[in-house]
Each structure stands twice: as structure tokens, then as C-alpha cells.
Amino acid sequence: MKKIALLALLSAASFYASAQRVKLDIANTTATTVTYLYGDAFDNRIEGKTKYQISADQHRTADITFNFKQPTRASLVLSPDGGYGKQTFFYRLYLSPGDDIMLSADFKANGNGLTVTGKGSENNQPLLAFRPLVVSSEQRFLGDSVPDRVIAVINKEQLESKAALNEYLKKYNPSAPFVKAQKYDVEYEALTTYFGFKENNKGRGKQPYARNVAKWQRVQDSLLDAISRDLALPARVSANKPAPADKSDILLKHIPGRKYSVINNPDALGTSNYNSLIREFVGRYREYLSEQAFYRPKDIIAAWYGADSVAAKQAYNDDSNNVLREKIINKFFSGTVEEYLLANLIADIKAKANPKNVVSIYNRFKKRFPQSQYVAPYRSYIDSVIENQKYQLTDKMVFAPGNGNKLNTLDEILALSKGKTVFVDMWGSWCAPCRENLAQHGPAIKEHFKNKGLNYLYIANRDERNQKDWKSLIAYFKLEGTHVLANPQLSQDIMTKLKRSTYPTYFIIKKDGTYELYDGDSRLDRDKLFKQIEAALAME
């Protein structure tokens, strides 16, 4: 039987005492990389190295050493196809200082042939740790007008999780911190799953949902009651921050005192379901406030910005995302939970390349939590934002006459680019994937095609009311090239002819006036794009 081994050797006993080493020995796979995911998506952003090469010998091997100062959740992902398909191996780890774990598997063996030995193995057996990546079973109920079917499945899954945990505790006698973390994770499983489903389901049938909103809320309240009862939560988490009164159906409807402790629970922090719940709550609550601001802007602005004034209205209109999420976190959370969510907010701003007000948010965070472990990791990012925000529009950032607002068809764009090879980026200042690609790939594209005759055309869509942000980001990302502020007719004509409906969309205009859609998705495969552009440049 062929196996793949991950071996980590520590040279100093003092270092070994605080480090964690994981040795993998996994057979019969073509994968060459194991991806390490620390805790949750936010934690992984600040951790640094996340991918480890697996040696290509008969027993593919790689050495992984961690240095966590406290017990930490992590996951190892091994995928032969580089994505998250049927052959993906996903293993959740619970790593404590001093752990020395050997994880073996064989993809051709029954049950993947999983075995775990070594110090810390009692916390990492396959019964709870191995998770095949499958689409959540609840998704088939999206569109339901009442919660009956989905909550039945969710409750059943939680009972199965509790049974699996009880079996695990009897069989392996894991450590006390592991037991506590697992119990919290299972306890929050149903609420987290239901809340995420409910919020996604709202948009599938707004009128049927609205007619039955009380039913959806009663189920949610019962899940909150169950957690509060099972965990015997206190009436208040913080004497300095009383439970907020709220009239929405987001999560906190008519939930004073004890139920408030369900979402502001520092003991549960670090468990995947609780972390997911509070992160989703912040995002969904911002969506709720934005929706309410459309119908009653004076009430929302007065409640969240202190007054119904011109300055308050301007502050909301200028940034109804980043600062508003900060305000939501400050209102509903305290202590380590508030610290975690504020740091997560900065991480999300960075990931989505949406720098508006992040410097002031970071400075307030640093003042509020000066000793936070998250202050230092984001210092260099904040410095880069400060530097980029100094950039100004230059003569190399050319705006089409009238910002191109009179252009109505793709044919007019082709005429504008006659005789040139042009890379066209259909983007928007509001579009997170657009900004992410500009930040991640923009400089590399410009460097690769420097002095090779490639021209750049950036067509901003749905940005006619965001001209300030549009021009600000052009300077921020140093988007040298020609810029067009598309009217709705131009956007529709181009996207219809390209047979695309989402942004960003990329295409290449050739010297002969023909065009070619980028042969990839919005994540942008740089190598694939380079080959297409190089082929277009090579045309006579």
C-alpha cells in the first residue's frame, strides 16, 4: 500500500514544547499541495503561509510545523484537481501546544484508510475530524415559504452531531479544552445553519416569506432558547453593555438579557459555528439597515449616526458598508468577541480591496484594543492604504469625452479602439471581485506587457451615481489607460453580445476590430489571460 507522509522535525526541545507538528502519510493521490486553513476564513488571512508542497517521491511527503500558543482549530485540504471536487480530502485538526500527530490515509482503501497516532491524537480521530466536502443538504429547500422542512433536517443533523460527539468522548477520552470546544460547536450548529439558510431564503420568494415571517421567527427563537437553556447563559455578558432592543427579524427580535448572551458569548469564540454565526449576523444586519434606509432614511441615519443632519446623511451616503458594520459590531458585541469581529472587518476590507475609511477603523480598533494580537498583522496593510490614497489622477489615466457617457454600443467601443490591441475590463467601484482582481492582478498584468503595445480600457458599470468613488479608485489602483463611465444602454449592449451577466468581465479587442472574450471565470487565471493577450498581440 502506497502512502504519503507529512513529517515535521523540530530541532530544539524548547521550541517543540510550544509547537505543534503534523505528519501526513497519504497514499494514492495525484495532489502535490496540501492547503492549511487556520480556524476560519478570517484567521487564515492573517496567518501567512497556507500552502505546503508534498514531495513527489513514492510516499509523497511534506513537513508542517505550527506554533500556536493556545489550542487552535485548523484544517488540512488535499485536492488532486486543485479545487474542491469529489476527490478532495478535508481534515479538521484540533492542535494544542506540544502536539506531535501522525495522520495516515490511503485514497484507495475503504474509508480512506484513516488512522491518527501520536501526542494529541485523542483530539483528532476521524470520527469527528474527517469531513467529505459535500453541498449542504438544506440547500434543496431554498424557496420554501415556511420553515417546516428545513428545520426538520437541521434538527436531525444536530442530533446526529451530538450522538457522534458522545460516541467520540466515550471512545477516545479527549482533552478537556477539546470537549468544551466541541460541545459549543455542536450547540450552535442548528442556529447557525438555520440563520444562514433563512437569510438566503428571503430573496427567493419575498412575498411568501413576508406572509410567514412570524413562523420563521418562532423557529429561530426556539433555537436561541435551546442554546440559552443548554449552556445556562448569564442574563448579561457585559454590565457595561446592556442587551440591545431591536425590532427586526434578523436575529434579535424581542431578545433581552439572557438570549442576548447567545450571540455575545466569549466562551464560544473560536468554534466554527459560533464564529460563522456572528460574522453572518454583522453582514446580514448591515443588509437589513441598508434596506430600511431606503424606506425610512431619516430614522436609520438618526439612530446610527446620532442625528438627522446633513453631516450624518453625508457620512451614511459616503460609506454605508465599512463604517456601518463597525457601528453594528460596537453596538451588539463586547470584549473578545467585539475584538474578533472588528479585526475580521479589517480583514474583509483588505480581502475585498475596499479601503474606504479602513485607516480610521483600524486606528479606532488599535485604541480600543491596544494589546490585540491582530494589531501588528495589519500595520503594513494600513501603511500601504495610506500610501495608495496619496495617488492622484495623472495624464496617463485618460477619460473618454464626456466620460464616455454618450457611447451606447459595443461597436462604438470597437471604433474607439481601432487598430489597437486592447484589454478591456468591465468593472464597477461597487463590485468586490472587480476590486480584488485589480489589486491582485492589475500590477502584474501591466508589468508583464510593459512596452509590448497593449492598451487598456476600463469600462465602469452601474457607477453613474458613484463618480467620486469611481475616480478615487482609478487613482488608488493606478489604472493607467482609457476610462469609460458606461450608461445602462452601453453596459447592456456589451454584456448581451458577450453573453455574460456578471462582473468583472474581460475581453480582448484585436487590431482587426474583432474581439475575444477572456476564456476563464471572474477569479482570473493570469497565465490563461497572458496567453490570450500574447496571441492577440502577435496578429499582424
Side-chain angles (χ1 to χ4, degrees), residues 24-91:
L24 298 179
D25 185 351
I26 304 176
N28 293 312
T29 179
T30 58
T32 58
T33 302
V34 59
T35 302
Y36 149 62
L37 305 174
Y38 163 43
D40 57 35
F42 154 61
D43 295 314
N44 201 53
R45 291 172 187 154
I46 69 167
E47 184 58 23
K49 183 178 180 181
T50 62
K51 292 187 177 181
Y52 298 83
Q53 290 303 120
I54 300 175
S55 69
D57 60 12
Q58 184 177 2
H59 291 276
R60 295 176 181 268
T61 62
D63 299 343
I64 303 180
T65 302
F66 306 103
N67 191 25
F68 303 127
K69 296 179 180 178
Q70 57 190 11
T72 305
R73 273 283 182 205
S75 298
L76 296 178
V77 182
L78 188 70
S79 180
D81 58 10
Y84 291 97
K86 293 181 180 179
Q87 300 300 313
T88 299
F89 175 83
F90 182 78
Y91 205 90

Side-chain angles (χ1 to χ4, degrees), residues 390-433:
K390 294 178 183 177
Y391 299 153
Q392 301 292 320
L393 295 173
T394 71
D395 57 3
K396 293 183 179 181
M397 301 167 190
V398 180
F399 294 88
N403 288 336
N405 201 243
K406 299 299 183 182
L407 299 170
N408 295 318
T409 67
L410 175 57
D411 288 340
E412 292 175 83
I413 293 296
L414 297 177
L416 191 69
S417 308
K418 187 175 181 180
K420 302 175 183 177
T421 302
V422 183
F423 172 59
V424 185
D425 184 343
M426 299 286 289
W427 74 297
S429 68
W430 47 270
C431 166

